[in-house]
């Protein structure tokens, strides 16, 4: 029977980001460029320079020079900073990436896509983007930007901004306020330790939130108001508790490499679209789980590997992939997969990992083949 065959499992992790659909030609061009740049090492900190960033004036000539002012106002929307490139065939994009810049150049008003990644920028002056109110995509990742050296409202006028990339900087808190138009927020690989309850308030269009590889120890109910959120990546942090009040729209939740030891009863039931849950490398025990903690009919993949479980938790019959390797499980309970075992009732499970536990192969119950008839891989 295929259910009993011990195979070598090659895990193919889910992609951590969702590219979505891009209908506009400019979006495709931006995306292709960004993907090419992302092949360069993304998360290596560049050397820190203590010198102050050069001052940069975001202003036009004074009113005392009317001719110069008129000329500047006419040319400003089309001029390109000498530090950057503005391709004629892609007039709404400005490329200032990987140029050892320590400050942000002037951004012309026509720009929608601006690239400042892979530089030495440590601060963002107040008003840096006040002229560029049409910005939709802003790439500031792989710099040295710190929270204390950012203007209080640097993103306040960007009412069309959809994607903000600030991963791999020196941020200690979330930028605030953030535009309500935001769809993707990338803040991984920073030094953020806490997310206040109102930090993400009003971001009803946000679909993807990346906060992995920080030092966050508390999320509270900060996700609750994100009514469009599809993906939340909170992995590699210091969380002791799961976030409160998951959004109804959530489909992907990544919480691996934290210190979570319990999950409230019916915690996942409030997110009926939830498909993928990763909670490996935490401190989960059976005492911290209710009997139906993971019995959600929508979940297709559940990763609970490398925790402290002693028994297989009960899961839905719709679950397709279950990873439990590296726990302390000492028995094979068929009731965890099928409450009733017969011809009409069976699990849709295809992959089951139980290797690295205390369970023995001869402990598999005789009715397992009937319950797990669809399993192609079972590792014990």
């Amino acid at each position: 029977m295929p259910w009993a065959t011990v195979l070598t499992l090659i895990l193919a992790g889910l992609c951590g980001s969702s590219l979505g659909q891009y209908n506009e030609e400019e979006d495709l061009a931006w995306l292709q460029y960004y993907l090419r740049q992302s092949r360069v090492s993304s998360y290596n900190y560049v050397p820190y320079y203590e010198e102050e960033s050069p001052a940069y004036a975001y202003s036009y000539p004074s009113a005392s020079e009317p001719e110069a002012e008129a000329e500047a106002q006419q040319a400003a929307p089309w001029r390109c900073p000498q530090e950057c490139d503005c391709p004629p065939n892609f007039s709404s994009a400005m490329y200032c990436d990987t140029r050892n810049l320590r400050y942000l150049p002037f951004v012309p008003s026509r720009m929608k896509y601006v690239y400042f990644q892979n530089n030495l920028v440590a601060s963002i002056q107040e008003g840096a983007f006040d002229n560029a109110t049409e910005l939709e995509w802003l790439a500031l990742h792989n710099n040295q930007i710190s929270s204390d050296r950012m203007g209080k409202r640097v993103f306040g006028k960007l009412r069309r901004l959809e994607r903000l990339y600030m991963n791999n900087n020196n941020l200690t808190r979330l930028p605030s306020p953030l535009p309500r138009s935001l769809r993707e927020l990338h803040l991984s690989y920073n030094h953020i330790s806490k997310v206040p309850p109102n930090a993400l308030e009003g971001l009803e269009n946000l679909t993807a939130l990346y906060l992995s590889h920080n030092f966050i120890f508390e999320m509270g109910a900060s996700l609750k108001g994100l009514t469009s959120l599809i993906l939340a990546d909170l992995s590699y942090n210091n969380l002791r508790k799961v976030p409160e009040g998951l959004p109804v729209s959530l489909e992907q939740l990544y919480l691996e490499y934290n210190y979570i030891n319990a999950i409230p009863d019916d915690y996942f039931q409030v997110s009926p679209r939830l498909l993928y849950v990763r909670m490996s490398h935490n401190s989960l025990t059976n005492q911290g789980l209710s009997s139906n903690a993971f019995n959600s009919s929508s979940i297709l993949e559940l990763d609970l590997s490398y925790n402290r479980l002693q028994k297989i938790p009960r899961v839905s019959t719709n679950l397709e992939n279950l990873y439990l390797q590296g726990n302390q499980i000492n028995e094979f309970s068929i009731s965890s997969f099928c409450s009733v075992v017969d011809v009409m009732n069976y699990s849709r499970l295809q992959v089951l990992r139980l290797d690295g536990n205390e369970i023995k192969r001869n402990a598999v119950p005789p009715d397992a083949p009937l319950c797990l008839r669809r399993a192609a891989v079972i590792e014990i």
Side-chain angles (χ1 to χ4, degrees), residues 60 65 67 69 119 136 147 151-152 206 221 261 273 283 317 321 350:
Y60 297 112
E65 305 175 30
E67 293 183 2
E69 181 179 6
N119 280 297
E136 295 180 11
S147 297
K152 294 182 178 180
L206 194 69
N261 58 19
R273 303 176 186 175
S283 302
T317 55
N321 300 285
Q350 299 175 16

Side-chain angles (χ1 to χ4, degrees), residues 18-24 27-28 31 137 163 165 184:
S18 176
L19 298 181
Q21 299 295 323
Y22 303 92
N23 297 320
E24 297 184 7
D27 280 2
L28 286 172
L31 180 61
W137 299 41
R163 291 169 177 82
Y165 297 84
E184 291 187 13

Side-chain angles (χ1 to χ4, degrees), residues 44 61 110 124 129 150 153 182 204 247 282 299 331 372:
N44 292 324
R110 74 178 187 277
I124 304 179
F129 306 114
M150 285 181 58
R153 299 186 61 85
L182 212 57
E204 297 178 357
N282 274 278
I299 300 178
E331 65 178 40
L372 303 176

Side-chain angles (χ1 to χ4, degrees), residues 15-22 163 184 207-208 210 230-231 252:
C15 177
S17 63
S18 176
L19 298 181
Q21 299 295 323
Y22 303 92
R163 291 169 177 82
E184 291 187 13
T207 60
Y210 298 92
I230 294 175
L231 184 152
Q252 303 176 45

Side-chain angles (χ1 to χ4, degrees), residues 104-121:
L104 297 180
F106 174 84
V107 182
S109 60
R110 74 178 187 277
M111 295 303 169
K112 293 183 179 180
Y113 313 99
V114 176
Y115 311 84
F116 290 121
Q117 73 268 25
N118 304 325
N119 280 297
L120 306 174
V121 178

Side-chain angles (χ1 to χ4, degrees), residues 238-278:
N238 295 327
L239 293 173
R240 264 66 179 178
K241 298 180 180 180
V242 291
E244 300 173 15
L246 295 182
V248 175
S249 57
L250 196 64
E251 296 180 7
Q252 303 176 45
L253 177 62
Y254 304 133
L255 291 167
E256 63 263 38
Y257 287 93
N258 278 285
Y259 299 92
I260 300 169
N261 58 19
I263 298 177
D265 193 20
D266 297 328
Y267 176 70
F268 297 107
Q269 301 296 330
V270 298
S271 300
R273 303 176 186 175
L274 193 60
L275 300 174
Y276 308 104
V277 176
R278 294 180 181 174

